[in-house]
Amino acid sequence: MNISKYLTLKEVINSQTAIRKGIDNTPEKEHLLNIKNTAKYYDIIYDQFKGNIRLSSFYRGKKLNTAVGGSKTSQHMTGEAMDIQGINGVTNAEIYRYIRDNMNFDQLIWEFGTSKEPAWVHVSFKTSGVNRKQVLKIG
């Protein structure tokens, strides 16, 4: 089932941890609208970098979120957050700067890595309410 121009539901819920631990990561019905909304932003980023991005995490049900050590308030659990990495010469720092400078996000997190390059970029978008444009760094 396509969620957006470039994402399927299978990609959105894919998790090696869920597979390894036998966790059902099927989204709750109420989270599908959030997933579709967030996926629209993925498509914008995908187009900006001509497909040279990779989704490393998107929807995580509560059990999976606990298994990976995610925040108890993680927007991954509501389908409003995703983790992205650059591929084929696109850097995570470029993705981070593009989102920071051009998108209306809720949270943007430079996750781990170095002062020049995050290990990945976490970004969330609220489906309803006001996006906070909160810029954070972890690690």
Side-chain angles (χ1 to χ4, degrees):
M1 171 167 123
N2 284 346
I3 294 300
S4 72
K5 186 175 175 183
Y6 299 117
L7 287 175
T8 65
L9 182 59
K10 184 177 179 179
E11 292 170 304
V12 165
I13 67 172
N14 182 50
S15 165
Q16 291 305 308
T17 301
I19 293 166
R20 195 171 54 254
K21 295 186 177 252
I23 298 169
D24 180 5
N25 196 41
T26 304
E28 300 293 328
K29 203 177 212 178
E30 65 266 23
H31 297 150
L32 283 175
L33 177 63
N34 296 341
I35 289 168
K36 288 178 180 180
N37 180 65
T38 303
K40 290 178 196 173
Y41 292 98
Y42 177 88
D43 290 351
I44 293 167
I45 299 163
Y46 187 98
D47 283 339
Q48 173 64 28
F49 292 100
K50 298 176 177 42
N52 292 305
I53 63 171
R54 179 177 82 78
L55 188 65
S56 56
S57 181
F58 197 136
Y59 179 76
R60 293 195 305 240
K62 192 172 184 174
K63 276 187 178 179
L64 177 58
N65 192 63
T66 299
V68 300
S71 163
K72 291 180 195 304
T73 60
S74 174
Q75 287 174 286
H76 284 285
M77 294 188 296
T78 59
E80 293 179 310
M82 59 186 162
D83 297 334
I84 304 171
Q85 295 173 302
I87 57 173
N88 301 323
V90 171
T91 69
N92 297 336
E94 288 175 299
I95 295 168
Y96 179 90
R97 285 190 296 272
Y98 173 76
I99 295 168
R100 182 193 64 202
D101 297 342
N102 297 285
M103 300 184 94
N104 182 27
F105 56 87
D106 188 49
Q107 283 188 323
L108 177 64
I109 307 174
W110 180 291
E111 297 239 21
F112 303 99
T114 67
S115 62
K116 293 184 193 249
E117 181 71 8
W120 66 88
V121 176
H122 168 97
V123 62
S124 65
F125 305 92
K126 287 189 175 190
T127 300
S128 61
V130 178
N131 282 310
R132 298 172 284 178
K133 298 268 307 196
Q134 190 175 50
V135 176
L136 303 166
K137 187 173 185 178
I138 295 177

